[in-house]
Amino acid sequence: MLRMPPFTVLNPSTVDEAMEQMLAAAGEARWLAGGTDINPNLKHRLLEPQALIALEGVGELRGVSVNEKGWLRLGAMTTLTEVAEHAQIQAQWPALAQAASLVSGPQLRNMGTIGGNVMLDTRCQWYNQTHFWRKSLGYCMKKDGTECHVIKGGSKCVAAASNDTAPALMTLDAEIEIASGDGRARMPLAELWQADGIWNRKLSPQELLVAIHLPPTAAKHHGAYGKLRDRGSIDFPLFGIAVRLDLDDAGKIAHAALCAVALQARPWPLKKVADALCGTTPGEQDFLDAVEQVAALAAKQCRPMPNIPGDHEYRHAMVPVYTKRTLFAAAAKAGPVHHL
Amino acid sequence: MRVFRLQVNGDPLDVAAPEHWSLLEVLRYRLGLTGSKQGCDKGDCGACTVLIDGTPTLACLALPATLEGKDITTIEGLRPLHQKAGGQGVDPVQDAFDRCGALQCGFCQPGMILSTKALLSDNPDPSRREIQDALAGNLCRCTGYTQIFQAVELVADEVAGREPRKPAWAQAREQEIAAASPKEEPFQPEHGGQA
């Protein structure tokens, strides 16, 4: 039996109250959203806070709405099931709905939240293990130890960002709304990350993600998400890729973006893909040629490491395969791409 | 220690338990409701699935402090709730699982049955694919899932008043027998069958 270490649970009902409790705890408290990641981590003694601040009862963190300018606001505590099944998100921000639909299994999507998925702790096969297991190995630099078992002699933690929704949100130019002791702030999600597997966000654990804001998409927006994993029913990504294609009135691609995940400490936007894809027409030969080019580019830019389970050479071989399949799915307004 | 006010299987209960206990620990070790199974204890297997306000949820990862005021249904609640609603015997989902032999060791059953309850309340006529998706978070190490899917189809058909669909193997076997049987005239006893 895996038991959690002793802590108290606080139940605030507003963001201000939650923030007061967090500041009063002086670094000894952590946020509790859906609990699907922090609770196993507590059971593995990856963290031992004195208090958990449950966001369950904070009304401002709930709900999906679209404002008069067409921006989508997702409360951070919106469950992944709600995001995946929301008809307007499926229609206008398809990559996000698809990514949310592929996170883990049904019960975990019912509990897990979009905010929790974006703020997910990085994962590593040497880290997400019981205390007994990690102790037997002499621990690692992410928790309790000093060395890295992924890269011998490595000085930087390379635990992998494993949040499926983050790359989808990044291709959709998401902005995040943050509450801290200094009030509210808004920043692009793409600027949140830092290349450090121990803590891959430029926010402290005391800051709170309140909501995610997405700009409206054009009428001819296409998006898709592809996910490689061990079992089609559950599991973290072994490789994930989000695709965005915006077509102009002539049916040519005017804007393209790709972002991958489950490689290194942060989600990984692919560079220069727009150069190859822009101006091509899905369904025509020039698009097929561009897809080949982008797949080769992706295989160069995405270098899976032996940080998460799954042979990293196999994962690397799957990078161009999933890049192509996801591009074709986006072009056909299909997806998500995964195996059953 | 904290006193949690929980609504379990329709009963309002005040339960004293340490705050860091999971709902599964509270159900099993405070309330004696051991029907919810402890499998992996970290969200992989679905053996501890309970319904929170009708939604399948993992009790091993849920904290009771976040569940006050919500309706918790465990496997123990299905029969009493079915009878309270005017039904006879056990819940139709339990009955179908029983009749289809949808188990070997039985450890995954409580979770499978509760996931099925939630599926059928949202979607009374699920396809095989939809059943597979709905039960994707419940791991079964024995059956290979076939009888489980058949049980879900059986209860969906019976509740809707349809002729229960035959499993694929039974249809194939019937066709095989029909193809192999020689076409004979029906047997006519002499004297019109009279002694």
Side-chain angles (χ1 to χ4, degrees):
Chain A
M1 160 146 244
L2 295 165
R3 303 199 103 149
M4 284 180 267
F7 51 73
T8 56
V9 183
L10 303 172
N11 295 82
S13 53
T14 64
V15 171
D16 290 343
E17 192 187 348
M19 197 49 70
E20 273 171 31
Q21 290 173 348
M22 180 52 91
L23 296 175
E28 295 296 333
R30 294 294 288 262
W31 303 115
L32 173 70
T36 55
D37 193 55
I38 196 172
N39 287 348
N41 289 354
L42 286 163
K43 290 180 177 195
H44 288 168
R45 300 297 185 273
L46 297 175
L47 62 170
E48 294 184 58
Q50 287 174 8
L52 291 184
I53 301 174
L55 302 170
E56 182 73 28
V58 182
E60 194 194 334
L61 301 180
R62 295 223 165 256
V64 181
S65 58
V66 178
N67 73 8
E68 70 282 358
K69 288 180 182 163
W71 280 67
L72 176 73
R73 180 194 185 276
L74 287 168
M77 286 291 286
T78 308
T79 66
L80 291 162
T81 302
E82 289 171 294
V83 175
E85 294 180 353
H86 197 278
Q88 199 173 357
I89 299 177
Q90 288 173 347
Q92 292 183 34
W93 297 273
L96 172 62
Q98 292 181 14
S101 79
L102 293 190
V103 178
S104 195
Q107 293 98 323
L108 292 157
R109 286 195 295 276
N110 291 339
M111 302 170 76
T113 64
I114 183 79
N117 192 252
V118 170
M119 292 299 185
L120 186 76
D121 192 12
T122 54
R123 296 183 62 82
C124 180
Q125 56 183 334
W126 310 101
Y127 168 73
N128 295 97
Q129 302 285 359
T130 59
H131 182 259
F132 173 77
W133 195 103
R134 292 183 296 114
K135 185 183 171 195
S136 309
L137 195 75
Y139 301 112
C140 80
M141 66 164 67
K142 185 157 160 67
K143 177 69 178 141
D144 300 326
T146 52
E147 63 177 314
C148 179
H149 304 291
V150 178
I151 298 174
K152 295 281 176 242
S155 60
K156 204 159 202 184
C157 176
V158 291
S162 302
N163 33 8
D164 289 298
T165 59
L169 288 166
M170 284 162 71
T171 60
L172 294 164
D173 301 327
E175 294 184 8
I176 52 174
E177 186 182 336
I178 301 292
S180 66
D182 305 329
R184 298 290 176 96
R186 206 159 142 164
M187 68 190 282
L189 178 61
E191 290 170 19
L192 174 66
W193 314 105
Q194 56 186 15
D196 181 1
I198 294 177
W199 187 261
N200 71 344
R201 285 139 286 165
K202 290 178 194 159
L203 295 173
S204 79
Q206 284 75 46
E207 289 171 287
L208 175 66
L209 174 64
V210 175
I212 298 163
H213 298 269
L214 288 176
T217 53
K220 290 192 175 173
H221 165 80
H222 293 221
Y225 184 71
K227 176 170 179 172
L228 173 71
R229 52 180 169 177
D230 279 335
R231 294 166 290 181
S233 53
I234 195 166
D235 279 328
F236 282 97
L238 298 180
F239 175 69
I241 188 154
V243 167
R244 171 185 197 149
L245 302 175
D246 289 337
L247 273 53
D248 61 17
D249 290 336
K252 289 187 191 305
I253 295 171
H255 172 66
L258 271 79
C259 187
V261 77
L263 298 164
Q264 337 202 348
R266 57 199 179 93
W268 199 250
L270 267 58
K271 298 185 187 80
K272 294 184 184 170
V273 290
D275 301 352
L277 287 164
C278 283
T280 67
T281 312
E284 305 283 334
Q285 187 59 42
D286 58 351
F287 177 70
L288 299 180
D289 296 340
V291 167
E292 290 296 334
Q293 264 185 48
V294 170
L297 213 58
K300 258 188 203 156
Q301 292 182 25
C302 300
R303 295 276 171 186
M305 285 186 278
N307 48 3
I308 48 178
D311 180 76
H312 64 287
E313 288 172 352
Y314 166 70
R315 287 164 52 215
H316 190 216
M318 287 300 109
V319 167
V321 175
Y322 272 73
T323 305
K324 274 194 244 181
R325 286 182 188 172
T326 312
L327 278 165
F328 288 138
K333 289 219 168 199
V337 174
H338 69 126
H339 67 88
L340 296 175
Chain B
M1 200 71 81
R2 173 165 159 182
V3 177
F4 300 109
R5 178 150 293 189
L6 301 176
Q7 172 96 4
V8 183
N9 297 328
D11 299 325
L13 301 170
D14 286 338
V15 192
E19 275 187 78
H20 64 280
W21 274 25
S22 67
L23 173 64
L24 184 63
E25 288 171 289
V26 170
L27 289 173
R28 290 178 63 87
Y29 308 128
R30 280 288 186 268
L31 300 176
L33 298 173
T34 52
S36 305
K37 298 302 177 206
Q38 186 213 343
C40 66
D41 218 11
K42 57 196 180 79
D44 284 333
C45 74
C48 65
T49 301
V50 298
L51 301 182
I52 307 283
D53 289 340
T55 305
T57 303
L58 299 178
C60 74
L61 298 184
L63 291 175
T66 64
L67 297 172
E68 290 182 302
K70 298 191 178 184
D71 202 16
I72 302 165
T73 307
T74 70
I75 190 70
E76 289 90 347
L78 282 196
R79 184 166 176 268
L81 290 173
H82 174 62
Q83 295 190 343
K84 206 185 268 180
Q88 300 259 314
V90 298
D91 187 275
V93 178
Q94 290 173 304
D95 188 45
F97 271 65
D98 181 18
R99 283 185 289 147
C100 288
L103 78 162
Q104 284 181 32
C105 81
F107 202 78
C108 70
Q109 292 288 288
M112 287 283 181
I113 288 172
L114 288 166
S115 286
T116 303
K117 280 298 284 183
L119 166 69
L120 295 178
S121 70
D122 287 348
N123 178 1
D125 186 18
S127 65
R128 180 58 75 96
R129 179 78 250 150
E130 287 167 333
I131 296 169
Q132 288 170 339
D133 285 344
L135 299 182
N138 293 86
L139 193 68
C140 172
R141 301 296 302 269
C142 313
T143 66
Y145 303 96
T146 307
Q147 286 96 330
I148 292 171
F149 300 148
Q150 286 166 359
V152 181
E153 287 169 352
L154 178 68
V155 66
D157 287 343
E158 286 188 343
V159 168
R162 287 187 296 263
E163 177 73 16
R165 66 197 103 174
K166 283 185 180 149
W169 65 264
Q171 289 173 21
R173 186 72 189 126
E174 274 175 15
Q175 284 167 9
E176 241 172 60
I177 291 170
S181 311
K183 298 278 179 290
E184 284 177 8
E185 290 298 310
F187 174 67
Q188 294 287 346
E190 285 175 43
H191 317 299
Q194 286 173 10

